[in-house]
Amino acid sequence: MIIISSIEQRRYIFPKILIGTTCPVLAGLAYCLIALLFSSCSETDNYYDTLKHQPEIVKDYDAVYGVGDTMTIKGHLIRDGLKIRIGDAEAEIIGFESRLTNIDLGRYNDSTQYVKVEITQAMGIGTGRPVSVTSSGIAVEGPAIEIIESSSSGLLPHEMTVQKIADYPANSSIVYCHSGNGNMYFINNTTYSVTRMKPDGSTEQVLDASQFVENGAKFNVTRYNGAGIDPQERYLYLSLYTAAPLTDNWNYYRLCRYDLQQKTFEVLNKTPYYIYASRHTLANISPFEGDMDSVKMFAATGVYPDSLGNVYFNMNNTLITRLNANGAYSYVFKVQYYNGAGAVELNDPAPQVYNTATKSEASAFSYFPGVVISYDRVQALDPDGAQFYTRATSSTSLQHYDMVNAVMLNSFSSYLNINFGAKPYLSGSFAVLTGSTDAQNSEWGFLPMAGRRLLILRYQDLADGAYAQQYQLPAWTVLDFDKERGSRYAPGSFDRKGYSMSNDRTPATKDVLINNDADGMLYMTANNKTVILKTVYK
């Protein structure tokens, strides 16, 4: 890089000419040479004056800045008339300093200029924000930067905390319902009654076991497998298992639907399963796809109805299936590495199939149709968006799948672990976002939002100390898979008031982000499913 003092030095690097001579010819030549020398020196000075004012910048500034950050640009720059434009706006120069970088015998001093500017919202949020520096009327371009939101901004206007609205209902499981109005539903694991909890914590029973009726006769239930309610809170879908009584040799799996408005109950599918292995032939446990009144459907865990009458099922993180509004049932995905025990009576989605040649049984999982994919667990399923999100096996990357076309939409390998002490990026493009730490509760929640977005509570494991204060942690963030960028859901850090949200893999103690309301407030369990919380503004 050419810098001012090195240019000044060149003014003095010329040959010296002897002028004091008595020879007329030599004197004439000397005068000619002197004239030429002065002319040459004048042109040289003009050339070096031009170089002296030519701006140059060192391309070593950061690639990402947040609104409110200070950006320092180094180089050969003249203060008078200096202008810096970043993105959509001219930057205000808040600092200018020349520093000596080399001293040559105390005479020729090399210097570098350090210019400080503040990153503003007006420059534009996003990637590829151009950097242009104009000095002495000459403009030079530097590497573009990405500008992200500051930690004091968010999709909501204020910082959030929580308040307790109820104790978690004893001996109950959560019924899936993402209605967007703050209502929550629970099913008792013994009586199978279903209760609605309103945002204020008040409750009312909406279904009890006396309504489990088929063809005019009540049937008993041994276990509930899964349940879900559509976003309109019109239909409740239940997967129920009835073990064979002493007078019968058949177990039964029923997929049922209850109309919460009309108070009517119907059985959509009834699948028999004989108690003796010899009857578990492939012919008896199939077909696996087809009309709902004829397919064999066993323990349907993870029930996710959408707004259009379709129902999706996540069966023990091993199968993704779909029941269309027209009654057609199909398999969408199945996991590549299946480790199920094959005990369908214990909630496994795959029954046993009997081999008449070896007179032994094995899991029927390999007979199931569906696109084979590799993942560790389903993080979230969005029925209205017909998509779901997984963690890849042995990885922290997120994978995003389409459940209608059975294809993967996105896979973000850049979604990586962050080492403690490094700067976390909670907003910005997927190329710069930092991912989870190694802690189990580093990321929690995973509530799907409209427009292929996913809401996550991040870095609650880093919630204490100066590091958390500096970077405003933990925080709610939204990943937008259409725009491939993230942003803070609410400004600042999330004040949990001493509560914690657990990612425990045991369903009985794993906390769940259940629902949201029209104001953007969130409803969740905490402290290993012992309390129900609601977010509020601080």
Side-chain angles (χ1 to χ4, degrees):
M1 183 183 73
I2 300 175
I3 52 179
I4 296 173
S5 54
S6 62
I7 295 172
E8 292 287 351
Q9 282 180 291
R10 298 180 192 187
R11 297 178 183 270
Y12 299 91
I13 306 175
F14 299 105
K16 299 182 181 297
I17 300 177
L18 179 62
I19 299 177
T21 177
T22 57
C23 176
V25 176
L26 289 177
L29 289 173
Y31 284 121
C32 290
L33 288 172
I34 290 171
L36 290 172
L37 178 60
F38 279 117
S39 175
S40 176
C41 287
S42 177
E43 292 176 0
T44 301
D45 283 347
N46 290 336
Y47 171 70
Y48 283 114
D49 280 339
T50 300
L51 286 183
K52 177 180 178 179
H53 291 87
Q54 173 69 43
E56 293 180 330
I57 58 175
V58 180
K59 300 176 180 179
D60 65 349
Y61 48 79
D62 293 339
V64 184
Y65 290 90
V67 172
D69 287 351
T70 298
M71 178 180 181
T72 300
I73 299 175
K74 298 181 293 185
H76 167 216
L77 303 167
I78 306 298
R79 180 65 180 90
D80 291 340
L82 179 63
K83 294 181 179 180
I84 297 176
R85 185 175 182 84
I86 300 175
D88 302 328
E90 186 170 318
E92 179 184 359
I93 297 173
I94 59 175
F96 185 94
E97 179 184 3
S98 289
R99 300 180 190 176
L100 297 179
T101 55
N102 181 53
I103 300 178
D104 182 8
L105 299 177
R107 182 176 182 182
Y108 306 115
N109 297 330
D110 292 346
S111 64
T112 299
Q113 285 67 52
Y114 290 73
V115 183
K116 294 183 178 181
V117 298
E118 182 179 355
I119 302 299
T120 65
Q121 188 85 20
M123 295 172 180
I125 303 297
T127 59
R129 302 287 89 193
V131 176
S132 177
V133 177
T134 301
S135 180
S136 301
I138 304 171
V140 293
E141 303 294 325
I145 63 172
E146 178 171 347
I147 297 178
I148 63 177
E149 299 92 340
S150 72
S151 60
S152 61
S153 65
L155 301 180
L156 297 182
H158 307 295
E159 295 184 16
M160 294 200 303
T161 184
V162 291
Q163 67 180 28
K164 177 182 173 181
I165 61 174
D167 290 322
Y168 186 85
N171 191 33
S172 294
S173 299
I174 296 169
V175 176
Y176 171 82
C177 180
H178 190 187
S179 57
N181 61 9
N183 286 341
M184 295 163 281
Y185 290 82
F186 303 89
I187 184 169
N188 187 281
N189 297 324
T190 303
T191 66
Y192 312 114
S193 61
V194 177
T195 300
R196 177 193 296 123
M197 180 181 290
K198 296 182 179 180
D200 61 3
S202 62
T203 60
E204 60 177 325
Q205 185 171 290
V206 298
L207 176 70
D208 63 58
S210 66
Q211 293 163 287
F212 296 161
V213 176
E214 182 183 24
N215 297 326
K218 183 181 179 302
F219 63 88
N220 294 321
V221 174
T222 306
R223 186 186 64 247
Y224 126 89
N225 299 313
I229 297 174
D230 64 28
Q232 294 87 356
E233 298 187 39
R234 173 69 185 273
Y235 293 110
L236 163 63
Y237 294 82
L238 296 130
S239 174
L240 303 172
Y241 168 70
T242 300
L246 295 177
T247 57
D248 195 348
N249 293 325
W250 294 93
N251 302 315
Y252 290 101
Y253 295 85
R254 292 177 175 90
L255 179 68
C256 308
R257 183 172 68 184
Y258 179 67
D259 189 326
L260 291 164
Q261 296 179 11
Q262 301 298 323
K263 313 299 182 185
T264 56
F265 185 92
E266 60 181 321
V267 176
L268 301 179
N269 177 271
K270 182 179 179 180
T271 296
Y273 190 65
Y274 204 66
I275 62 174
Y276 296 118
S278 60
R279 294 284 190 94
H280 298 168
T281 62
L282 187 60
N284 286 339
I285 64 171
S286 61
F288 301 124
E289 294 184 310
D291 292 335
M292 178 51 49
D293 57 1
S294 62
V295 298
K296 298 299 193 297
M297 184 179 185
F298 297 90
T301 57
V303 183
Y304 298 85
D306 69 10
S307 299
L308 302 176
N310 307 300
V311 186
Y312 295 91
F313 302 92
N314 169 28
M315 299 190 181
N316 282 8
N317 286 312
T318 59
L319 293 166
I320 301 293
T321 65
R322 178 182 179 178
L323 171 60
N324 286 345
N326 62 9
Y329 183 70
S330 61
Y331 284 66
V332 184
F333 292 105
K334 67 177 185 178
V335 69
Q336 181 176 6
Y337 303 106
Y338 174 67
N339 297 317
V344 68
E345 296 86 358
L346 299 178
N347 237 10
D348 196 286
Q352 297 284 289
V353 59
Y354 184 74
N355 188 317
T356 55
T358 62
K359 300 187 182 306
S360 62
E361 284 190 302
S363 172
F365 190 86
S366 61
Y367 293 96
F368 287 155
V371 177
V372 177
I373 58 175
S374 176
Y375 61 88
D376 182 41
R377 59 193 181 278
V378 174
Q379 289 285 30
L381 193 148
D382 175 17
D384 268 347
Q387 59 196 324
F388 71 101
Y389 305 86
T390 73
R391 283 286 192 212
T393 305
S394 302
S395 172
T396 58
S397 65
L398 276 174
Q399 295 178 334
H400 178 207
Y401 288 92
D402 180 332
M403 294 190 295
V404 174
N405 301 303
V407 295
M408 184 169 68
L409 300 172
N410 307 86
S411 179
F412 297 103
S413 59
S414 60
Y415 199 69
L416 302 175
N417 282 358
I418 177 174
N419 295 322
F420 183 77
K423 182 177 180 178
Y425 289 105
L426 282 76
S427 61
S429 68
F430 279 135
V432 303
L433 283 184
T434 50
S436 65
T437 67
D438 291 329
Q440 177 176 325
N441 296 327
S442 177
E443 295 183 319
W444 175 86
F446 296 92
L447 183 70
M449 302 175 70
R452 293 185 175 181
R453 297 181 301 160
L454 197 58
L455 178 63
I456 304 173
L457 176 62
R458 303 180 63 200
Y459 300 131
Q460 62 172 326
D461 58 310
L462 305 179
D464 300 319
Y467 183 83
Q469 293 179 8
Q470 180 181 0
Y471 296 114
Q472 298 290 286
L473 305 175
W476 291 101
T477 61
V478 175
L479 302 183
D480 189 320
F481 285 79
D482 276 344
K483 297 179 180 178
E484 296 191 4
R485 62 176 292 104
S487 58
R488 285 181 179 252
Y489 183 63
S493 61
F494 174 52
D495 182 3
R496 297 173 299 162
K497 289 188 174 179
Y499 294 104
S500 63
M501 295 76 191
S502 171
N503 266 331
D504 194 328
R505 291 237 180 161
T506 304
T509 54
K510 175 183 171 62
D511 287 310
V512 178
L513 181 54
I514 303 173
N515 205 352
N516 61 285
D517 64 24
D519 296 323
M521 297 299 105
L522 309 173
Y523 299 79
M524 68 202 75
T525 70
N527 291 1
N528 296 109
K529 278 188 179 171
T530 58
V531 295
I532 305 292
L533 305 179
K534 172 189 176 180
T535 61
V536 293
Y537 288 134
K538 294 181 69 172

